Amino acid sequence: MSSQKIFVVFGATGVQGGSVIKSILGDPRTAKEFKIRGITRDPSKPNAQALTKQGVECVQGDLNSKESLEKALAGAYAVFAVTNYWESMDAELEKRQGRLIADVSVAAGVQHLIWSSLYNVTELTNGKFSGVEHFDSKAEVEKYIRTLSIPATFFMPGFYMSNFTGGMLHPNPDSSEHEYVVTLPIPDYTPIPLFDAADDTGKFVKGILTHRDEVLGKRVLAATDYYTCKEIVDAFGEVKKEDGKGSHFVQTSEQVFKDSLGGMPDRGKHEMYENMLFMTDFGYYGKTGLGESHAILDEKPTTWQEFIAKAKSWADLK
């Protein structure tokens, strides 16, 4: 009989879950200690099959079904749980899913629940910004977990670096030169905690697992560093010396920012607008430092400059 502890990873084929699996399997120590059970909608899909070939037990899971979750969590020692607000843009659904995972984890005797959480922006800003649902809903689940008799840690992902390759840093349409621009509705001195979710989620979660007793009940802030908007574009110009030499930041209006979000529903556009604004005065992490969270890492998190250099979307830029 295997002496390995079962570590259940939700969203196994997604960005966060996939990164967790990669880090655990990539470290001989944790690969030996933990047997990974990856939860996915369809274990027959190619991405899931690729994980199976690496020794991951891929299991079908329905976040809305207690019976499904009971099977998924049977015998689990630890659980990494993440939900996807943007799939439905339904905060109440996300809260129900998170609470159900927590309840089933308690019943299954899970000894370490790692919840992918975020700050409650409504509370952080004293009600000034009450529309950032994808933060508040995860925070409400965190609050619920804290009322339960289960050892838990709260993984708090920063601002995805991939947001910039996804169009947030783009060629300037008003210039004939090779010039890139970031246009956001915030001042250029706004600090943004940048995070390479695909490569670094696993680094932080592995640290949480291997420093369990130190982080129970705590939040782990998963970001490399705080970068201002100006530092973000300046670094792009430094790494991409030819194509990025004219890069700059433009503080834009609410309407221009919302228009840049394309076909997103108006409610979602306003949510993203408030998501930007609260960072300036209140801080993404409530102006908390990152040193304590970095102390559990045995691998350095990806810097913004390193991300720029390796990003496939910018591979052809010089």
Side-chain angles (χ1 to χ4, degrees):
M1 183 176 179
S2 175
S3 60
Q4 289 181 300
K5 302 171 183 174
I6 297 175
F7 178 31
V8 174
V9 178
F10 282 86
T13 58
V15 174
Q16 290 190 26
S19 177
V20 171
I21 291 173
K22 180 181 177 181
S23 283
I24 298 302
L25 293 181
D27 184 324
R29 178 185 48 157
T30 49
K32 181 178 180 180
E33 183 176 0
F34 297 102
K35 170 67 177 177
I36 299 177
R37 181 182 295 159
I39 309 303
T40 183
R41 285 180 180 171
D42 187 350
S44 69
K45 290 288 181 67
N47 286 348
Q49 287 294 301
L51 292 176
T52 300
K53 291 177 181 178
Q54 297 176 56
V56 176
E57 177 194 2
C58 283
V59 174
Q60 191 276 336
D62 180 352
L63 299 186
N64 302 303
S65 167
K66 181 180 179 181
E67 181 180 6
S68 174
L69 292 180
E70 286 174 340
K71 292 178 181 177
L73 298 185
Y77 165 80
V79 173
F80 172 74
V82 59
T83 46
N84 184 3
Y85 166 85
W86 294 106
E87 187 173 70
S88 64
M89 291 183 63
D90 185 338
E92 292 304 315
L93 174 61
E94 182 169 49
K95 285 187 277 189
R96 285 197 301 273
Q97 291 175 338
R99 288 167 180 160
L100 184 56
I101 291 171
D103 289 339
V104 174
S105 294
V106 171
V110 169
Q111 295 181 50
H112 196 182
L113 174 59
I114 304 168
W115 171 247
S116 183
S117 189
L118 288 168
Y119 274 64
N120 187 312
V121 176
T122 300
E123 293 181 359
L124 179 67
T125 66
N126 298 311
K128 183 175 181 179
F129 300 114
S130 59
V132 192
E133 287 191 345
H134 69 289
F135 274 63
D136 290 3
S137 55
K138 291 178 176 64
E140 287 297 320
V141 175
E142 175 185 333
K143 186 182 295 185
Y144 178 73
I145 291 171
R146 290 182 181 277
T147 69
L148 304 177
S149 56
I150 186 168
T153 303
F154 305 97
F155 166 80
M156 318 289 282
F159 193 92
Y160 282 21
M161 293 180 183
S162 59
N163 287 332
F164 292 97
T165 54
M168 198 168 278
L169 197 164
H170 55 85
N172 185 354
D174 299 322
S175 174
S176 59
E177 301 295 323
H178 291 292
E179 181 179 281
Y180 279 71
V181 63
V182 172
T183 52
L184 293 174
I186 51 180
D188 65 0
Y189 56 79
T190 300
I192 303 176
L194 294 188
F195 174 54
D196 183 357
D199 275 2
D200 291 356
T201 297
K203 296 175 185 177
F204 281 93
V205 172
K206 185 177 71 168
I208 290 170
L209 279 176
T210 57
H211 294 78
R212 175 184 179 275
D213 293 346
E214 299 169 37
V215 297
L216 288 180
K218 294 183 178 181
R219 290 169 168 167
V220 172
L221 311 184
T224 299
D225 203 350
Y226 289 100
Y227 297 81
T228 66
C229 300
K230 184 178 186 306
E231 288 171 338
I232 288 169
V233 291
D234 285 351
F236 186 77
E238 291 166 6
V239 176
K240 301 296 183 179
K241 297 184 185 300
E242 291 185 26
D243 294 299
K245 62 183 178 182
S247 300
H248 61 280
F249 173 78
V250 175
Q251 182 175 352
T252 191
S253 67
E254 174 182 353
Q255 193 56 53
V256 169
F257 173 73
K258 288 181 176 179
D259 289 346
S260 73
L261 299 177
M264 180 181 284
D266 288 345
R267 180 169 65 88
K269 289 181 178 181
H270 190 72
E271 177 167 355
M272 292 308 299
Y273 176 63
E274 288 199 356
N275 191 164
M276 295 293 115
L277 294 189
F278 92 87
M279 291 191 290
T280 301
D281 292 333
F282 299 93
Y284 185 102
Y285 290 133
K287 301 185 179 180
T288 304
L290 304 176
E292 184 177 352
S293 296
H294 283 193
I296 66 172
L297 300 177
D298 62 10
E299 301 174 82
K300 290 184 178 180
T302 305
T303 67
W304 171 233
Q305 289 84 349
E306 290 168 342
F307 180 86
I308 295 168
K310 72 175 182 176
K312 293 180 180 179
S313 301
W314 297 328
D316 293 335
L317 300 181
K318 299 177 182 178

